[in-house]
């Protein structure tokens, strides 16, 4: 009998350790596009990928990971701030067992709010597919920790949703006259995007998300790819800037409406436009030598085509606000994450992530 008691005690200790791991670190789930894809597209039949040098040159391994960054990406930096391991891409074979308790990244470069966005990239994970994988993840998590504990982990998780930029640059404005631009004026298109985005966020709530950071689009007209193709002297492209400035306030209002509908501050709007414009307008104040020229690329502003082993490559990524023609550098992302955690209500609505973490720790 004493040996039986010892076995039961060991089982109890193992179970309590498992539970403590789930309770100690908050799970983190990521959905969206290339700004937050940590490598899912490496496993997909698509040209939208970052699996060759010089991507990852400043990552700890100095090797490409599938992140569209010279090093860490936005989810990585948020994970570091909340004291968590980085979330693995859901398609990674390493995402098994206890790793499931950390969360998962479902993002896929090239996608948008609309299913016809990014059709040129072929086999990418559109939002309905990302959500199908999230449901599959929850089944796997339930098998690991039990259904009740799995639901608690999902309900208590932090979620990041980054969508919308591709609906403009790789859909509406992808050619001088696109199918969507024939169908809608820019304000009409923005309203249509918001109506579709509302359905996506409502579905995310139905799947158990209770604390979601929703990033607005950045300053689409100021990225090197647009400066290279549409700007005369390096000024931000007005049409794209205006589109972002119509879309983003509508997004904030929509998140407020959903919060009122659900009776809780589920959705937190992140003013990515202003966060980026701060260092784009005054790069020197942030220690950058340029916010117009990409570190990696070719042509005007290094903004033509993709970042490849044959591209121009700057020697010091820390002094460039943009890593490639579309994506901020790791150091620029650090300033965005700082604003996510400590930004005032004009940047984080209704509250910043530090406030959220403090509130949620008391629940």
């Amino acid at each position: 009998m004493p040996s039986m008691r010892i076995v039961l005690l060991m089982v109890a200790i193992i179970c309590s350790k498992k539970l403590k791991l789930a309770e100690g670190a908050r799970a983190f789930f990521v959905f969206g596009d290339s700004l937050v894809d940590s490598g899912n597209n490496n496993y997909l039949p698509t040209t939208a990928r970052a699996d060759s040098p010089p991507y990852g040159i400043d990552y700890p391994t100095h090797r490409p990971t599938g992140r569209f960054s010279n090093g860490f990406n936005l989810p990585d930096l948020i994970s570091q701030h909340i004291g968590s391991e980085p979330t693995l891409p859901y398609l990674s074979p390493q995402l098994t067992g206890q790793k499931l308790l950390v969360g998962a990244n479902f993002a896929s470069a090239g996608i948008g709010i609309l299913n016809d966005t990014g059709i040129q990239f072929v086999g990418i994970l559109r939002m309905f597919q990302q959500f199908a994988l999230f449901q599959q993840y929850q089944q796997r998590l339930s098998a690991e920790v039990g259904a009740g504990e799995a639901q608690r982990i999902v309900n208590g998780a932090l979620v990041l949703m980054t969508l919308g930029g591709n609906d403009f640059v790789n859909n509406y404005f992808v050619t001088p006259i696109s199918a969507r631009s024939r169908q809608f004026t820019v304000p009409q298109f923005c309203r249509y995007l918001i109506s579709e985005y509302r359905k996506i966020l409502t579905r995310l709530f139905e799947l158990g998300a209770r604390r979601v950071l929703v990033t607005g689009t950045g300053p689409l007209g100021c990225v090197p790819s647009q400066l290279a193709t549409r700007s005369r002297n390096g000024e931000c492209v007005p049409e794209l800037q205006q589109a972002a400035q119509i879309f983003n306030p509508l997004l904030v209002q929509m998140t407020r409406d959903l919060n009122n509908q659900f009776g809780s501050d589920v959705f937190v709007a992140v003013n990515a436009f202003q966060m980026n414009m701060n260092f784009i307008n005054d790069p020197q104040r942030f220690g950058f030598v340029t916010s117009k020229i990409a570190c990696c690329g070719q042509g005007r502003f290094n903004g033509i085509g993709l970042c490849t082993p044959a591209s121009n490559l700057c020697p010091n990524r820390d002094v460039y606000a943009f890593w490639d023609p579309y994506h901020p550098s790791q150091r620029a992302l650090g300033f965005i994450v700082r604003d996510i955690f400590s930004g005032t209500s004009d940047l984080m609505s209704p509250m910043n992530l530090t406030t959220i973490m403090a509130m949620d720790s008391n629940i």
Side-chain angles (χ1 to χ4, degrees):
M1 284 302 286
S3 63
M4 185 65 177
R5 274 202 295 272
I6 290 167
V7 169
L8 288 170
L9 184 64
M10 287 176 69
V11 168
I13 289 167
I14 290 165
C15 287
S16 71
K17 277 187 174 172
K18 203 171 194 178
L19 210 58
K20 275 194 173 64
L21 178 63
E23 286 170 356
R26 184 176 200 171
F28 184 32
F29 301 113
V30 181
F31 300 90
D33 59 25
S34 63
L35 289 164
V36 293
D37 183 353
S38 291
N40 281 313
N41 279 23
N42 287 0
Y43 303 95
L44 298 170
T46 178
T47 55
R49 53 205 306 135
D51 59 349
S52 61
Y55 283 99
I57 189 170
D58 298 311
Y59 196 75
T61 60
H62 306 294
R63 296 168 67 88
T65 62
R67 292 163 172 83
F68 287 76
S69 171
N70 56 302
F72 295 120
N73 65 5
L74 187 62
D76 293 327
L77 297 174
I78 291 174
S79 291
Q80 289 170 19
H81 271 258
I82 64 175
S84 179
E85 295 175 43
T87 53
L88 287 168
Y90 184 72
L91 299 182
S92 167
Q94 294 175 291
L95 186 66
T96 57
Q98 293 284 293
K99 292 277 187 189
L100 291 166
L101 278 68
V102 176
N105 185 318
F106 302 88
S108 179
I111 72 139
I113 295 165
L114 305 180
N115 288 331
D116 59 288
T117 291
I119 51 171
Q120 63 271 43
F121 303 126
V122 194
I124 50 181
L125 299 174
R126 318 221 170 259
M127 278 315 305
F128 71 92
Q129 293 165 304
Q130 291 187 27
F131 285 164
L133 293 176
F134 186 37
Q135 288 177 280
Q136 185 185 91
Y137 161 88
Q138 292 190 39
Q139 291 166 356
R140 292 175 63 196
L141 184 64
S142 294
E144 191 71 23
V145 299
E149 180 63 8
Q151 186 175 0
R152 192 197 66 75
I153 290 170
V154 170
N155 291 162
L158 180 67
V159 182
L160 175 64
M161 174 70 80
T162 296
L163 276 179
N166 285 323
D167 294 288
F168 293 101
V169 298
N170 282 312
N171 191 334
Y172 192 93
F173 291 105
V174 72
T175 52
I177 300 173
S178 66
R180 289 297 190 182
S181 69
R182 283 196 297 269
Q183 184 182 9
F184 296 112
T185 64
V186 170
Q188 287 170 341
F189 185 63
C190 290
R191 287 193 294 273
Y192 175 58
L193 286 179
I194 293 296
S195 69
E196 293 300 303
Y197 205 171
R198 186 185 181 112
K199 296 173 191 173
I200 289 169
L201 295 181
T202 300
R203 180 65 182 141
L204 184 58
F205 181 84
E206 290 169 356
L207 292 172
R210 294 295 179 267
R211 205 55 109 174
V212 186
L213 303 176
V214 183
T215 63
T217 70
L220 304 171
C222 302
V223 299
S225 64
Q226 298 301 325
L227 299 186
T229 54
R230 296 171 184 263
S231 171
R232 186 164 294 180
N233 299 306
E235 71 285 354
C236 296
V237 181
E239 297 89 344
L240 281 149
Q241 289 295 87
Q242 286 158 11
Q245 287 170 304
I246 293 168
F247 175 85
N248 287 323
L250 292 174
L251 178 63
V252 173
Q253 187 57 52
M254 183 264 280
T255 58
R256 285 180 185 151
D257 292 346
L258 283 177
N259 287 343
N260 288 334
Q261 179 183 325
F262 297 133
S264 174
D265 289 328
V266 175
F267 300 104
V268 177
V270 179
N271 188 347
F273 185 93
Q274 192 54 52
M275 292 176 185
N276 280 273
M277 285 308 294
N278 288 340
F279 58 74
I280 286 171
N281 283 335
D282 193 358
Q284 283 71 31
R285 185 162 69 89
F286 291 83
F288 297 120
V289 296
T290 177
S291 60
K292 296 183 186 300
I293 302 168
C295 168
C296 180
Q298 44 279 313
R300 292 183 76 212
F301 304 104
N302 276 347
I304 303 292
L306 303 170
C307 171
T308 72
S311 296
N312 301 320
L313 179 66
C314 68
N316 181 4
R317 275 69 64 185
D318 284 348
V319 296
Y320 283 71
F322 284 95
W323 155 244
D324 69 9
Y326 302 94
H327 304 97
S329 64
Q330 175 185 292
R331 186 161 172 270
L333 290 171
F335 293 115
I336 292 171
V337 171
R338 184 183 70 183
D339 286 339
I340 286 173
F341 276 86
S342 58
T344 48
S345 59
D346 59 319
L347 296 178
M348 296 291 295
S349 175
M351 61 194 133
N352 62 38
L353 191 45
T354 300
T355 303
I356 290 168
M357 300 294 283
M359 282 175 53
D360 292 353
S361 68
N362 295 323
I363 292 172

